[in-house]
Amino acid sequence: MNEILIDNSSVEIEFTEHLKQTDNKRILFTASFGSGKSFFLTEYFRRNKDYLDITLYPVDYSVSSNEDIFEIIKYDIIDSLFEKYAKVLDLKIEDFSNLLIAQSFLANKIDLMPLVKSIIKSSFIDAEQILGVLEASKNIASQFHNYKKELSGDEKSLLLSYMEGFENKKGSIRENDEITLLINNFLTRIKSKKRGKKFVLIIDDLDRLDPEQIFRLFNIFTAHHDSRKDINKFGFDKIIFVCDLNNLEFMFHHRYGLNSSFDGYIDKFYSHKPFFFNHRSFLKEKVSIYLTKNLENTTEKTFNNNIQETLFGLSSDFFHTMKSLSNKMIDNDLLRARNFQKFKAYALPSKSIRIGHREFSPTKFPLLVMCYLMQQFFPRIEDLINSVHTLSHQYDSNYEVKSNYKSLNWEMLLISYSIPFFIENLEDMNYRHNNDKSYFVSIKNEFDKIIFLEYRVNESLMYDYTSFTFTKAVGNNMTVNNQSTEQPFSKPNPYHIVELALRNCLINEYIQN
């Protein structure tokens, strides 16, 4: 999986300040579904050396009762600890023996044998010794039962009463069974070897649970928080719940009614205040780094010649335009962290396209290069076009005639990139153009009115490259001495124009999935 670099981002700095507060022991980490919450936290704790962490994914807890869920949580914590910190734990033979003995106190609710077998692979204990422990422990329950028969009546009654007490306290807010003690012991041992580090338990993927399951999970952790000492269950320094707070509020009112106090309910689950993950700022700050993190080590591998590097390199107007379009999509939630994880490489397309009777390199058309790169974010080209359509629908265009035409430069470039795909007989574009002449193409705007896009043509014989520069959008194509006399429209819609151009490209098979 590709990685998004998060170092030195303002979001990371803000989260660090929120996390490091001493008494901030329960944290609600919130953002909308699919915004990259899980990805951010994974990368954050991978890089941050001040914390130890494990993550639970409770999507499989829905079929269990509250009591069973708590036992499964303990199982998953042990599993995660061994998966991530087996070397630090430096397991001994007695650790495995204690795990199996502790199972007798779980009344067979959870079978620890598969877990013990799986963690052998990540430890350095002699395999023959472990196998001996496993074999000797297979019938531990029956052996212990036989041993109880040898005890005196009073001792037997006392022991049976003691064990029954443990069984009856499963899920109790005061339970402190052998598995709980073992988890506490493991956390203490890991922290003792990682001095000064805090241990964080992350409860992730709450967005994937049904409302009933989310509330049950919250209630279980709240019930097992020791409010007398303000200590999290099992001894974790921090517990982070990852969810969408707005969606949670909607589900709460749907279940309990609009008059129920959501604030009064939810504030039990965090110590200070929720942390609102600003995924848009996070992605926009890092979009340049991420777009180019897989760029070839040498420009010769990515760009075949100097003109390609000039046109499409990291200092080019093209790259700035692509970055700006990506930011625009981020602002409108059309690009999220998951889309960026699909982006493979900033590279130029190599497969030629046929226009009329001729073949062209797609690098002669910046819009085709941009489509080749941007479509990596999406499952299909149609999804990219639909995203551009969404931007077009939200754009505040203005077709009043004004002399002070102003628009963002990169949006002007989007129109420039689109112009070739409205030109008839595009395959004949190798004839000499007059650089000072105004040319026009006609299109229908988003209100189904015909407008004309004026443009200039610049040809480079040295590099065999022709560029098109949009100058203005007008109501007719009248010229005097090859110059347009029309005043421009105030604010034509660049995304509508790009959408039309992309649909033309799709119809003519210049682009494809």
Side-chain angles (χ1 to χ4, degrees), residues 22-274:
T22 305
D23 56 345
N24 196 14
K25 297 181 178 181
R26 296 182 310 286
I27 296 167
L28 205 63
F29 189 95
T30 177
S32 58
F33 179 77
S35 58
K37 302 185 294 292
S38 302
F39 187 82
F40 175 86
L41 289 171
T42 298
E43 285 298 291
Y44 179 87
F45 286 108
R46 182 183 66 83
R47 293 184 56 259
N48 199 303
K49 305 304 180 184
D50 294 329
Y51 296 95
L52 308 164
D53 70 288
I54 60 171
T55 302
L56 303 187
Y57 304 92
V59 291
D60 298 325
Y61 296 178
S62 58
V63 297
S64 304
S65 66
N66 284 11
E67 291 78 9
D68 289 344
I69 286 176
F70 196 65
E71 300 305 319
I72 298 172
I73 287 171
K74 290 190 281 189
Y75 181 100
D76 285 350
I77 288 174
I78 293 174
D79 190 27
S80 299
L81 288 175
F82 280 122
E83 180 181 353
K84 197 165 187 178
Y85 300 106
K87 295 180 181 179
V88 181
L89 275 171
D90 189 22
L91 297 174
K92 307 298 182 184
I93 291 293
E94 56 268 23
D95 291 318
F96 290 91
S97 180
N98 288 337
L99 271 170
L100 293 170
I101 292 173
Q103 183 175 325
S104 65
F105 291 95
L106 292 179
N108 298 318
K109 289 286 187 183
I110 304 296
D111 182 10
L112 293 180
M113 186 69 75
L115 174 59
V116 174
K117 288 182 178 179
S118 67
I119 61 180
I120 293 174
K121 299 177 182 179
S122 59
S123 64
F124 297 97
I125 303 174
D126 184 81
E128 293 184 2
Q129 290 179 298
I130 290 296
L131 289 175
V133 172
L134 290 176
E135 291 300 322
S137 302
K138 279 183 178 178
N139 299 315
I140 192 169
S142 61
Q143 293 172 8
F144 193 58
H145 179 72
N146 292 334
Y147 173 71
K148 287 189 293 182
K149 293 180 180 180
E150 300 177 6
L151 298 176
S152 66
D154 290 342
E155 291 174 326
K156 179 178 178 179
S157 298
L158 179 61
L159 183 56
L160 285 174
S161 176
Y162 181 70
M163 294 181 67
E164 287 172 359
F166 273 111
E167 292 180 3
N168 292 332
K169 291 181 181 178
K170 290 186 184 302
S172 164
I173 63 173
R174 302 298 181 219
E175 69 85 37
N176 204 31
D177 66 16
E178 294 296 312
I179 295 295
T180 300
L181 292 173
L182 204 59
I183 292 173
N184 273 281
N185 176 265
F186 286 160
L187 291 182
T188 301
R189 284 162 59 176
I190 294 171
K191 289 173 66 174
S192 68
K193 295 185 179 182
K194 300 283 187 177
R195 295 185 181 278
K197 296 190 176 184
K198 303 291 186 181
F199 222 125
V200 179
L201 173 64
I202 303 168
I203 312 295
D204 203 352
D205 276 348
L206 292 177
D207 290 338
R208 299 180 184 274
L209 298 177
D210 292 333
E212 196 75 23
Q213 300 157 15
I214 294 177
F215 295 128
R216 283 172 60 194
L217 199 62
F218 271 133
N219 290 335
I220 287 171
F221 270 93
T222 301
H224 284 272
H225 173 74
D226 191 340
S227 57
R228 299 169 302 174
K229 301 178 182 178
D230 194 24
I231 297 175
N232 288 322
K233 190 67 176 180
F234 308 115
F236 286 100
D237 298 291
K238 314 274 185 180
I239 296 180
I240 301 176
F241 298 99
V242 185
C243 63
D244 178 357
L245 188 59
N246 292 331
N247 189 46
L248 194 63
E249 182 176 12
F250 174 81
M251 291 187 294
F252 176 85
H253 288 305
H254 180 75
R255 178 181 178 184
Y256 296 109
L258 294 177
N259 293 327
S260 300
S261 174
F262 176 71
D263 292 339
Y265 173 81
I266 199 65
D267 66 5
K268 297 181 294 185
F269 307 124
Y270 56 84
S271 300
H272 283 187
K273 61 181 180 178

Side-chain angles (χ1 to χ4, degrees), residues 451-510:
I451 64 172
F452 294 87
L453 306 180
E454 181 191 50
Y455 65 96
R456 303 292 175 90
V457 180
N458 182 41
E459 294 177 316
S460 172
L461 297 179
M462 178 181 296
Y463 293 111
D464 186 26
Y465 190 82
T466 302
S467 62
F468 303 83
T469 303
F470 168 70
T471 53
K472 59 185 177 181
V474 293
N476 67 62
N477 58 350
M478 299 294 295
T479 62
V480 175
N481 297 325
N482 292 328
Q483 302 294 317
S484 172
T485 59
E486 288 289 304
Q487 291 297 316
F489 292 133
S490 176
K491 197 177 180 184
N493 188 335
Y495 306 105
H496 174 73
I497 296 169
V498 170
E499 180 189 353
L500 291 180
L502 288 176
R503 294 196 185 280
N504 284 344
C505 291
L506 191 60
I507 292 171
N508 290 285
E509 298 184 348
Y510 305 152

Side-chain angles (χ1 to χ4, degrees), residues 313-435:
L314 306 188
S315 300
S316 65
D317 288 338
F318 172 87
F319 182 78
H320 172 72
T321 301
M322 181 174 169
K323 183 178 70 172
S324 299
L325 179 59
S326 298
N327 286 338
K328 190 76 172 180
M329 289 186 172
I330 291 169
D331 282 335
N332 289 274
D333 275 341
L334 299 170
L335 284 183
R336 296 191 173 201
R338 292 180 183 179
N339 300 97
F340 280 89
Q341 289 173 254
K342 298 174 183 177
F343 193 88
K344 294 181 176 61
Y346 185 85
L348 302 183
S350 57
K351 185 179 179 180
S352 62
I353 61 170
R354 177 169 290 276
I355 302 178
H357 59 275
R358 296 181 58 191
E359 287 194 349
F360 292 87
S361 166
T363 57
K364 292 187 177 295
F365 304 97
L367 185 69
L368 297 185
V369 177
M370 183 171 291
C371 181
Y372 174 80
L373 293 170
M374 294 291 291
Q375 76 179 81
Q376 296 182 52
F377 291 130
F378 301 93
R380 306 173 304 156
I381 288 179
E382 290 83 356
D383 299 312
L384 167 61
I385 296 175
N386 290 337
S387 294
V388 175
H389 174 77
T390 299
L391 295 180
S392 171
H393 182 71
Q394 296 175 349
Y395 190 77
D396 185 22
S397 59
N398 188 336
Y399 290 94
E400 294 181 3
V401 175
K402 293 185 177 180
S403 58
N404 58 337
Y405 176 81
K406 291 183 179 180
S407 182
L408 296 174
N409 182 58
W410 68 271
E411 291 182 333
M412 295 274 286
L413 284 174
L414 285 177
I415 300 177
S416 296
Y417 296 161
S418 302
I419 282 175
F421 303 102
F422 304 120
I423 298 175
E424 295 183 3
N425 302 318
L426 181 61
E427 66 270 25
D428 298 325
M429 70 176 193
N430 60 338
Y431 60 87
R432 296 300 302 274
H433 289 80
N434 182 347
N435 293 347

